[in-house]
Amino acid sequence: MSPTPTVRPAEPDDADAFAACHLACWEEAYSTLWGAERFEDMDVARLAARRRKEIEAGVADHYLVESDGQVVGIAIAGPTRDEDPQADRELYAIYVREAHQGSGIADALLAAAIGDGPASLWTYRDNPRAAAFYVHHDFIPNGAERTDSEGILEIRMVRR
């Protein structure tokens, strides 16, 4: 029996595995929403280099969860980037590999990344699974909307 996966801060040496998990989660979550052509431009090495620099510089807090030696979940959080801040802390990303969803890993990642205090995040409007997860953790849409670089609508959710 394998040990219970635990959340830990990511180190620069984790950047490759962190990026590989991040990209795999994007493919699992957004393959139909984004389309194959968006994934063609993605490069794990480039994403890993970016994550390594961010981790080394302390630009944002990076967390990961390993199971059987594989990174199966990641989270990134830091100061809000919004021009009209709704909270001091923002969840930039949280992803768990499909095979591990529903296991409590996302709950643990969220707690590590932003605690239980006020925070904000942006999520795709047409992502009901993510929205349900955030509502379960007391986030509510606050009416703000924006589009990502591909024109997909995102909504802001806030926890007071």
Side-chain angles (χ1 to χ4, degrees):
M1 187 168 158
S2 62
T4 303
T6 56
V7 177
R8 67 173 176 82
E11 299 292 331
D13 288 346
D14 296 317
D16 292 330
F18 191 103
C21 178
H22 200 167
L23 185 53
C25 289
W26 276 345
E27 290 172 339
E28 291 171 351
Y30 305 133
S31 61
T32 56
L33 186 62
W34 285 359
E37 60 282 346
R38 188 165 179 182
F39 290 102
E40 291 171 6
D41 295 333
M42 295 188 183
D43 177 55
V44 174
R46 188 170 59 239
L47 184 57
R50 177 179 168 194
R51 295 294 171 233
R52 187 173 291 104
K53 286 180 185 174
E54 290 174 354
I55 293 167
E56 289 172 345
V59 171
D61 300 322
H62 291 67
Y63 297 91
L64 60 81
V65 173
E66 291 174 303
S67 178
D68 296 324
Q70 297 291 314
V71 176
V72 298
I74 60 106
I76 307 169
T80 188
R81 300 170 293 184
D82 292 330
E83 292 180 17
D84 62 336
Q86 302 296 299
D88 292 336
R89 194 103 176 116
E90 181 180 346
L91 180 67
Y92 305 152
I94 185 168
Y95 293 100
V96 173
R97 294 298 308 267
E98 208 168 61
H100 295 271
Q101 291 176 1
S103 67
I105 288 174
D107 300 318
L109 277 166
L110 187 70
I114 61 169
D116 60 3
S120 65
L121 59 90
W122 289 89
T123 188
Y124 287 130
R125 182 194 63 192
D126 296 327
N127 189 349
R129 183 180 179 104
F133 172 78
Y134 297 132
V135 166
H136 176 74
H137 289 279
D138 300 323
F139 285 86
I140 57 169
N142 78 334
E145 296 180 346
R146 68 182 186 192
T147 55
D148 76 356
S149 62
E150 301 296 316
I152 301 171
L153 186 62
E154 296 177 308
I155 62 169
R156 182 168 48 195
M157 298 183 78
V158 177
R159 181 174 68 192
R160 303 273 179 218

